[in-house]
Amino acid sequence: MESSLDRAAGQIRSELAKKPGGVFTEAELISLRSEHAEEWALAKRVPARAFIAFLIESLGLQVVQLKSEDYGQVTRYTWGEYSPFRMALSLRPRGYLSHGTAVFLHGLNDQLPKTIHVNQEQSAKPRGGGLLQERLTMAFSRRQRTSNYIFAFGTHRAVILSGKQTGAWGVSVMPGLHGESLPVTGIARTLVDIAVRPAYAGGVQQVLEAYRGAHGRVKGAEIVDALEHLDHVYPYHQAIGFLMERAGFGEPDLEPLERIGMTFDFYLLHGMRNSTLNSRWRLFVPEGF
């Protein structure tokens, strides 16, 4: 005998196909059943678990396990060709895409990312105190910490970042490859973020390539505006000015960064063993870079 689920199969397929990006949580599937139970004339005895089992076994809904060495695994469901960006964002629905992922989405390089960075901001914290050269030098003598909050799925991995509270400044929504809406840091914000955390963009050489890709698409004044809103303790404008100069930005874009002033010797990277000082930006950079 044909069940109520079998009779509603066409309507269910149509509803699943409406989700841009094609990624569902269990809660979303249960909500879908509840919202359409009357429209689809589902028998009352069909529980949520049976509904999901029918989607998998009869309609072809796929099950994806996101696995972490440190945080166990998370289950998601996909319909058709799904968006890996929406999959990563499903782990932190209030987060946004940043760093190397934003670099790709803005077309600042052509490397399709296998690592997707999702930034969910922490609660607001007091700003650090006054800066001293000795403390700055000590901090940058050590290797920069990176997130181990990583989930692997298929050929991708999602890295969850706990960024500082900015009120999602500089984040906007742009379309993804599957017509899905993606919250992404804008170009100016992205250039600041990857100067602060080069490892999340593939390393300093990839950061420089992104700056070259941004040449002509962002102005120095916009970078200064981003720096003022993000309010970092360290003088990252010195690193950013150096990168912009190396990327071919002209003096009108470099001058707003120089006007901020340079009180300290700063460092392009953490943990450099062999470095040279760039006198214009008072910045230590790797030898030969």
Side-chain angles (χ1 to χ4, degrees):
M1 177 183 291
E2 188 179 46
S3 71
S4 61
L5 286 170
D6 290 319
R7 289 192 294 272
Q11 293 170 289
I12 297 172
R13 286 191 183 95
S14 178
E15 198 62 36
L16 291 172
K18 291 180 182 178
K19 178 74 177 287
V23 178
F24 298 85
T25 64
E26 182 177 289
E28 286 173 327
L29 293 175
I30 293 172
S31 177
L32 195 70
R33 171 195 173 278
S34 300
E35 290 173 13
H36 297 276
E38 185 174 344
E39 175 191 348
W40 294 340
L42 298 184
K44 292 183 179 180
R45 66 177 179 274
V46 178
R49 295 288 182 183
F51 175 67
I52 293 176
F54 173 79
L55 300 183
I56 296 168
E57 296 164 11
S58 299
L59 300 190
L61 187 75
Q62 297 295 307
V63 181
V64 176
Q65 301 291 352
L66 296 90
K67 299 179 180 179
S68 170
E69 292 183 4
D70 298 310
Y71 300 97
Q73 67 181 31
V74 175
T75 302
R76 293 291 183 264
Y77 304 89
T78 64
W79 183 255
E81 186 179 4
Y82 72 88
S83 163
F85 302 111
R86 287 303 329 169
M87 180 65 77
L89 284 164
S90 78
L91 294 168
R92 290 294 182 272
R94 293 185 290 109
Y96 49 84
L97 302 171
S98 65
H99 295 82
T101 309
V103 166
F104 167 76
L105 290 170
H106 287 295
L108 304 184
N109 66 20
D110 57 1
Q111 295 189 358
L112 186 64
K114 295 299 183 182
T115 297
I116 300 173
H117 296 94
V118 178
N119 191 349
Q120 179 161 302
E121 298 183 355
Q122 306 173 64
S123 58
K125 293 179 173 58
R127 194 177 190 275
L131 194 58
L132 298 174
Q133 182 68 60
E134 294 79 6
R135 292 178 183 175
L136 188 159
T137 299
M138 179 63 70
F140 277 79
S141 70
R142 299 187 289 261
R143 182 178 177 182
Q144 192 170 39
R145 290 182 297 176
T146 56
S147 173
N148 66 348
Y149 209 159
I150 301 170
F151 287 84
F153 60 98
T155 59
H156 292 84
R157 61 180 200 151
V159 179
I160 309 300
L161 310 179
S162 298
K164 67 178 295 187
Q165 176 59 243
T166 72
W169 186 90
V171 176
S172 59
V173 175
M174 64 187 300
L177 303 178
H178 299 79
E180 73 277 31
S181 295
L182 300 174
V184 186
T185 54
I187 293 178
R189 163 83 190 261
T190 298
L191 293 180
V192 174
D193 285 346
I194 63 176
V196 174
R197 294 279 183 173
Y200 294 152
V204 69
Q205 191 60 52
Q206 290 303 314
V207 170
L208 180 56
E209 288 302 311
Y211 272 70
R212 287 174 176 152
H215 186 211
R217 297 180 62 187
V218 67
K219 296 184 180 300
E222 296 175 85
I223 299 292
V224 171
D225 186 46
L227 283 165
E228 288 175 353
H229 279 89
L230 298 175
D231 193 29
H232 290 293
V233 172
Y234 294 126
Y236 285 107
H237 66 284
Q238 294 169 226
I240 291 168
F242 168 81
L243 289 165
M244 290 176 69
E245 184 178 27
R246 284 287 307 274
F249 284 77
E251 290 301 315
D253 288 314
L254 301 178
E255 287 169 2
L257 290 147
E258 276 193 309
R259 283 199 297 269
I260 296 174
M262 283 166 260
T263 306
F264 301 97
D265 291 333
F266 194 49
Y267 300 83
L268 183 63
L269 297 172
H270 283 71
M272 290 183 293
R273 293 191 176 183
N274 299 303
S275 62
T276 57
L277 180 67
N278 179 281
S279 59
R280 177 176 185 178
W281 299 102
R282 289 189 63 177
L283 185 76
F284 286 99
V285 302
E287 278 188 4
F289 180 74

